[in-house]
Amino acid sequence: MDMNVSQLLREAIGATRDYDIDETIDLTGEGTQNRIKGACHMVRTQRSILVRCSLNTEIELTCSRCVGSFKQPAKVKFNEEFFPTLDIDSGAALPPPEEASSFTIDELHILDITEAVRQYFLLATPMKPLCKKDCAGLCPTCGQNLNQGKCACPADNTDPRWAKLADLK
Ligand SMILES: [Zn+2]
Ligand SMILES: [Zn+2]
């Protein structure tokens, strides 16, 4: 998801560019392909290019209860500054940005938003995804997916309030 910003870097502060995004990338690094769609707006600032993106995709998730995989729409919006590594006019190396984690524009003036897109979608991914709110999960005894029907295991009455009564028998 890279864009050549050499022209924009030569323009005056406040100059802008708009990009439509429709690209497929491996968002999670696990070999799955995610189609990312949306728009990015770029502004030339004195020291950088400010990138504002609004993107959406579908993320493949694994349900934390039944371990079934399912797709869920995800949206992100972000503002990030990308710092040039070379002076656009002289070609001289510029000092690295103050924050080590800042995004940079490479020496060929390519601004690549892929890493930012990955990080923001990762943050938008639920920690304990559920395929549906009332997912019944797996039977702890036989492992059957209880969304697909009951298993043959005896009903488990380990409610502690009943355990004492069971002892009396
Ligand atoms: Zn589930
Ligand atoms: Zn079972």
Side-chain angles (χ1 to χ4, degrees):
M1 308 185 98
D2 42 14
M3 296 155 238
N4 189 318
V5 292
S6 54
Q7 277 309 111
L8 184 56
L9 285 169
R10 284 191 180 92
E11 288 175 26
I13 294 165
T16 62
R17 286 284 187 290
D18 285 291
Y19 291 91
D20 285 326
I21 307 288
D22 185 355
E23 275 192 57
T24 301
I25 62 165
D26 179 2
L27 207 54
T28 55
E30 290 167 359
T32 52
Q33 296 296 311
N34 297 80
R35 188 169 180 194
I36 316 281
K37 291 173 104 178
C40 291
H41 180 73
M42 295 187 187
V43 184
R44 171 75 163 118
T45 72
Q46 194 186 351
R47 58 175 196 171
S48 69
I49 289 181
L50 184 62
V51 182
R52 189 171 71 220
C53 292
S54 175
L55 303 170
N56 58 75
T57 189
E58 274 200 326
I59 314 185
E60 180 133 359
L61 295 169
T62 301
C63 177
S64 59
R65 272 189 212 157
C66 72
V67 302
S69 59
F70 64 101
K71 287 189 171 175
Q72 185 171 290
K75 270 189 181 183
V76 294
K77 281 188 179 178
F78 63 83
N79 277 300
E80 283 292 345
E81 262 188 294
F82 286 72
F83 294 89
T85 44
L86 295 184
D87 184 278
I88 189 70
D89 296 318
S90 67
L94 291 169
E98 283 169 31
E99 274 179 66
S101 61
S102 299
F103 295 106
T104 52
I105 301 165
D106 76 9
E107 31 326 317
L108 299 170
H109 313 300
I110 302 295
L111 188 160
D112 185 1
I113 62 167
T114 309
E115 190 49 37
V117 170
R118 272 209 191 99
Q119 290 181 13
Y120 279 92
F121 274 112
L122 203 66
L123 287 174
T125 304
M127 297 290 281
K128 286 193 169 179
L130 286 179
C131 62
K132 52 184 180 179
K133 265 190 200 149
D134 58 346
C135 172
L138 302 176
C139 169
T141 310
C142 71
Q144 153 126 352
N145 186 336
L146 299 175
N147 295 314
Q148 290 159 10
K150 282 195 172 142
C151 57
C153 296
D156 188 352
N157 286 328
T158 46
D159 186 317
R161 287 169 294 178
W162 297 105
K164 277 191 179 154
L165 289 174
D167 286 345
L168 295 174
K169 276 185 196 163

